[in-house]
Amino acid sequence: LREREGPTPKAWEGVGLRFMTPETQTARARDLRKRQTRAEATLWQHLRASRLDGLRFRRQHPIDRYFVDFACVSLKLVIELDGKVHDEDRQQIDDYHRQQTIEAFGWSVLRFTNDQVMGALPGVLNAIRNHARLAGASISAGQGPFQRRPVPHARPPSFKP
């Protein structure tokens, strides 16, 4: 037998998201998270752990046959970051169809370039906040409707008569 040249293909290569098993979807999402861009890592530091006004975001969240960069499930809000490859005509057409499909499932999509995230991050975060307000979230500085509640103690404090 002849050995294949190049890296071993991943389980998801050539398979659409709809046909992936849940385990394969998880593996694919993990791989995408490991290979995130610098702009994705920068934005994630401001979105993770409900840091942006208590809104909970997920990375590489599956919607139909796509993995979106960031998703706030409670608001059905998707944030996509576009690098230089998205300037090409063919990629813009693909992005348009991708966005149409995602919006057909009731999600709204915000798109930013990597350059916007790296050069004007406060403006990007404000745009996300403004969109969240329009989407119905009553967000105030530092207080959000989706903040985690404290976990009660496993056992009540000891009582001494």
Side-chain angles (χ1 to χ4, degrees):
L1 290 173
R2 199 175 113 200
E3 284 195 33
R4 294 171 54 131
E5 291 182 21
T8 306
K10 307 277 190 211
W12 55 80
E13 287 182 359
V15 177
L17 179 58
R18 285 188 220 163
F19 303 106
M20 288 183 190
T21 64
E23 295 81 15
T24 305
Q25 285 184 14
T26 301
R28 174 70 172 140
R30 280 186 185 136
D31 184 61
L32 289 169
R33 287 191 294 266
K34 284 179 188 174
R35 296 184 303 121
Q36 68 186 343
T37 65
R38 189 166 157 234
E40 287 172 342
T42 299
L43 184 57
W44 179 240
Q45 289 307 307
H46 294 273
L47 298 179
R48 68 189 295 260
S50 304
R51 290 180 182 170
L52 185 68
D53 298 332
L55 296 169
R56 294 191 67 194
F57 282 89
R58 296 178 181 178
R59 284 189 300 166
Q60 301 305 330
H61 181 69
I63 299 174
D64 191 45
R65 63 182 178 268
Y66 302 108
F67 284 96
V68 298
D69 292 333
F70 305 99
C72 178
V73 175
S74 61
L75 295 179
K76 293 193 90 168
L77 171 62
V78 166
I79 299 172
E80 288 283 283
L81 300 186
D82 297 336
K84 297 286 183 205
V85 70
H86 294 269
D87 293 341
E88 297 173 13
D89 290 342
R90 179 68 191 152
Q91 187 62 47
Q92 287 182 359
I93 292 168
D94 290 346
D95 288 344
Y96 172 79
H97 290 296
R98 172 187 170 104
Q99 185 164 333
Q100 292 296 312
T101 300
I102 292 167
E103 289 174 345
F105 283 91
W107 293 79
S108 57
V109 179
L110 290 178
R111 299 190 89 86
F112 300 100
T113 65
N114 288 349
D115 291 340
Q116 287 174 307
V117 171
M118 299 310 293
L121 183 62
V124 169
L125 296 174
N126 282 331
I128 296 168
R129 280 189 188 101
N130 290 338
H131 188 84
R133 284 189 188 102
L134 290 174
S138 59
I139 300 172
S140 62
Q143 269 318 84
F146 310 110
Q147 289 195 349
R148 295 182 181 162
R149 295 185 179 99
V151 178
H153 296 304
R155 61 176 190 246
S158 59
F159 174 76
K160 295 183 182 182

